[in-house]
Amino acid sequence: MLQDIRNNAQGTIAKVIIGLLIVSLSIWGMDAIVGGFSGEPEVATVNGEDITEREFLRVVQMESQRRLSRMENPDPSMLDEDQIRTDVLDSLIQEQVLIQDANAQGLELNDADIDALITQMPQFQVDGQFNRDRFVATVRNMGMGVGEFREAMRKQYVVNQIRAGIVQSGLVADENAEQLLQIQNQTRSFRVLDIPASSVADAVSVSDADVEAFYEENSGAFQQPERVDAAYITLSLGALAESIEVDDAELQAYYEQQAADLASEERRASHILIEEGSDADETMATIQERLAAGESFADLAREYSIDTVSAEDGGDLGYAGRGIYAEPFEEALFALEEGEVSEPVRTSFGVHLIRLEGVRESEVPSLDEMEDQLRRELAREKAREQFAEVRAELADSAYAADDLAGPAEELGLEVREANGVTRDGGQAPFDHAGLVRQLFSEDVLDAGYNTELIDVGDNVSVVARVNKYHEAEQLPLDQVRDQIRTTLEQRKTREALSERADAIIADLESGQSPEGIGEWSSYEGLARNASEAGPVILQQVFSLPRPADGARFGKAVMANSAAVIALDEVTDGQVSEDGTELNQLREFLASLEGQREYAAYQQFLRNRAEVERP
């Protein structure tokens, strides 16, 4: 598609199409473009009812925005547009099936009911009251008209009625919930015998023949994936700033502009800190009364303050600027006049009384001292103003160019190279999924075009092209020999550990005492989420059947050790028939059953529907 656009954008065909669009818009309006002259096109038909292209595209746009909003750093290039369109169409087909079912059951919502629902929705309210302007603006931002939104509300509400009815009808037997809770709260007592890997080291041997056989049997696992060698241009705010020169006049003006902010104010504070609690207000009132009676702030700090370090100095905290203290403390301190005492201030440390002892301002650093820093700041500010413009120039230039050398020379940028970029990415900037997807697209990989300009970070944009494509190839044995040997050693060690554990269990079950084993470690009454034993061992402990006569044995095999487990006792959890935990479990299981029934009902309707896709 991109190739066709590039080939025809300046041709006669494009001019004819544009002319037809202008005529259509002037005579028939937008509907001529959206719906055509013979009715609105459809993307699917469900039991004879159409899903229109306009509705489909609107929902695609909404779903794209939703997925972007869930990204930590929203990037449209990382959206899989084909998958979104597939998911949306499947969703609309399912929705149409459910709406038709609701209509068949006679479920409907009249206009008054819709009005009542809309006016109660908080997103359409201002100061607790329905606001029509907000309603209209919100609906338009969703890409819908008011009529479309009301119709969507009508359809969705009746569908939800059926869903709620089925989900809420889910039932679960009380005895099943009680039994499940007993199992969930179960505790087990057991013993563990550790078997270290060193005890089976003599039984582990890997020959060259073993390595070669493994390589032949698993050749598909030792392939170098397809990859490309790429050229790319990076446009960054930082690099742009480095290329900008700042003359002395600009520097002097910037220094004078910043001078007021360069002088930092510091304040010397003393405080009395007491613990937060039920008697904190009473204690603080007593301190304030004694201060008002003329007693020394320093003496009261020594008597009351729980900040023992500053209390020895009469509560003195020394000089500090902004950003040092907790926000409530700082706000109170910088609002005081010298010698003034604050009202009680609460922070996470407790309750403070703060006294401002003095104020001082540091001298403004000279221009010579600040020159390098100010030049960098000013260059970055100027670069920020130019970045959007240069980015647009690079995007246009790279789109039309057959290589990257021309755009790079035009904008004074450097063409760099990165080799061995796979579909899983590579070193920065090819650790960005959107850029890699473009690099391996048909237009770029096969047709030889440049990628689009992709934003790979804050104020960092990249355009790339493929220099050379390398097909997937088999890695030689010598290159992976050590890797295979390590894998086989680990596998044989686990097998030997498992066999050793089986032998010990066989002896224990026959009543014999195995030779050469260590000491058992005992654990009493551990729950499933206990931390005393490792998760692998606990998983095996709670998978063993309940012991009958004597212990029940099992094993757990890890990478560098194994463990023989002797399960001695199982204690079922206590269940209160009127307890909150049991009631919550009943509700959860009933809801789960209801959701399963609704899913089955949806599938039944979907299987029975006649769906046609153009």
Side-chain angles (χ1 to χ4, degrees), residues 420-547:
V421 180
T422 70
R423 290 185 182 269
D424 292 329
Q427 293 184 342
F430 296 101
D431 54 352
H432 186 274
L435 179 59
V436 173
R437 187 181 298 119
Q438 285 254 337
L439 197 64
F440 281 89
S441 68
E442 182 179 346
D443 280 341
V444 178
L445 187 62
D446 298 331
Y449 292 111
N450 298 329
T451 68
E452 296 176 12
L453 188 62
I454 304 295
D455 295 323
V456 300
D458 291 338
N459 296 315
V460 180
S461 303
V462 173
V463 60
R465 67 180 289 109
V466 172
N467 280 344
K468 187 175 182 181
Y469 172 75
H470 303 274
E471 294 183 353
E473 59 185 6
Q474 186 76 22
L475 294 172
L477 175 58
D478 288 343
Q479 190 171 335
V480 296
R481 186 183 300 276
D482 292 342
Q483 175 188 342
I484 294 174
R485 186 177 297 278
T486 299
T487 299
L488 291 177
E489 287 174 350
Q490 291 173 345
R491 178 179 297 181
K492 290 194 173 187
T493 297
R494 289 176 65 91
E495 291 172 355
L497 286 168
S498 181
E499 291 171 1
R500 175 64 174 149
D502 288 338
I504 293 174
I505 291 173
D507 288 343
L508 291 170
E509 290 178 337
S510 65
Q512 302 179 28
S513 298
E515 297 181 359
I517 63 173
E519 297 292 328
W520 290 87
S521 299
S522 297
Y523 300 90
E524 298 294 330
L526 293 194
R528 295 176 183 273
N529 58 352
S531 58
E532 290 87 341
V536 176
I537 291 176
L538 271 179
Q539 181 180 11
Q540 182 62 27
V541 166
F542 279 89
S543 67
L544 288 173
R546 188 185 298 264

Side-chain angles (χ1 to χ4, degrees), residues 193-205 489-498 500-501 556-563:
L193 178 64
D194 184 60
I195 307 172
S198 58
S199 65
V200 298
D202 293 342
V204 176
S205 176
E489 287 174 350
Q490 291 173 345
R491 178 179 297 181
K492 290 194 173 187
T493 297
R494 289 176 65 91
E495 291 172 355
L497 286 168
S498 181
R500 175 64 174 149
V557 181
M558 285 76 75
N560 297 309
S561 66

